Amino acid sequence: MPSKKRNNRNTNGLGPADREVVSLIKLTQMFPDDAAAEAWFAKKRWGDTPVCPHCASNNVQSGAKHPKHALSLS
């Protein structure tokens, strides 16, 4: 059976070669804490308004905590 080539391009047509290189210093300036990183990722993912990917409803929760999804460092 022939192997399938993996497509490394995302939906906006940009691939690994199109990514901007960011230094570690710039990265720590951009994300001084977890809240800054979370805000950046949310803005990239949702834009101005988060919506449900299944039903397109904008009635969504943010910052919801659930023990099953919590990060355990022990």
Side-chain angles (χ1 to χ4, degrees):
M1 174 184 270
S3 64
K4 292 182 180 180
K5 280 191 169 182
R6 187 174 177 163
N7 184 355
N8 289 330
R9 296 225 175 242
N10 61 21
T11 56
N12 64 7
L14 300 176
D18 301 311
R19 295 180 186 150
E20 178 185 349
V21 176
V22 178
S23 71
L24 185 57
I25 292 171
K26 184 176 178 183
L27 194 63
T28 56
Q29 291 170 343
M30 287 173 61
F31 308 121
D33 55 25
D34 289 347
E38 183 178 357
W40 184 87
F41 278 106
K43 181 74 173 175
K44 282 291 196 184
R45 172 63 176 96
W46 302 111
D48 293 328
T49 306
V51 295
C52 174
H54 300 289
C55 68
S57 170
N58 63 356
N59 184 17
V60 296
Q61 292 182 0
S62 66
K65 303 281 186 218
H66 190 278
K68 184 176 181 182
H69 303 287
L71 177 63
S72 174
L73 299 176
S74 55

